[in-house]
Amino acid sequence: MKRSGSIVIHRPADEVFAFLAEVHNETSWRDSVTGSGYIGEGSAGVGADGYTEVSMGGKQVRMDWRISSFDPGRHVAWQLTGGPWQGGGAYTVRPLSDRTEVTADLEVRLAGALRMLEPVLGFQLGRGLRSDLVRLRQLLVVPAN
């Protein structure tokens, strides 16, 4: 299951990327995320390990991940290394004069008999991603002076 979504935010690209690179910020804009961070002394960069905790159906699920690609100020991608799913994702920011386009990509693969749940989970994943991006834009909006 692959899902992707984009949104334009009226804020400079470097500020948007800096916010996304601080993974603990995910709890403020991703609805199902209850915790997220780097493991140990980690920070954004290839090979950095982290975790994301999500609430699903009243259960807490932890997924560990590793950053697989990092272009400072522009792109970060990760692969899941532990948890109930396989897959990964990425955030890409693209400057548009006084605005920034943010694209979020997610990929989730289930194993065994759980693969039968992929169509339902894929629908929920796509809907959640779109809602999360709207919350991100609302959070980062710069008030008019």
Side-chain angles (χ1 to χ4, degrees), residues 4-21:
S4 184
S6 295
I7 199 157
V8 174
I9 299 173
H10 291 272
R11 193 150 187 169
D14 60 335
E15 292 178 16
V16 173
F17 188 84
F19 184 83
L20 293 172

Side-chain angles (χ1 to χ4, degrees), residues 21-110:
E22 291 296 328
V23 295
H24 66 271
N25 287 333
E26 287 185 316
T27 60
S28 65
W29 65 277
R30 292 189 60 202
D31 188 45
S32 64
V33 174
T34 59
S36 194
Y38 293 106
I39 295 173
E41 300 287 322
S43 63
V46 172
D49 292 318
Y51 69 92
T52 299
E53 296 168 337
V54 297
S55 177
M56 300 186 69
K59 289 181 148 182
Q60 286 291 116
V61 177
R62 178 179 163 134
M63 294 171 282
D64 292 337
W65 44 262
R66 177 169 291 135
I67 294 179
S68 57
S69 174
F70 187 73
D71 181 2
R74 169 115 174 83
H75 176 81
V76 61
W78 63 93
Q79 290 294 311
L80 296 176
T81 59
W85 302 334
Q86 297 176 344
Y91 298 131
T92 304
V93 300
R94 185 170 66 99
L96 305 170
S97 63
D98 65 336
R99 301 169 297 148
T100 300
E101 179 183 56
V102 176
T103 300
D105 298 299
L106 297 174
E107 180 179 358
V108 174
R109 294 182 305 273
L110 301 177

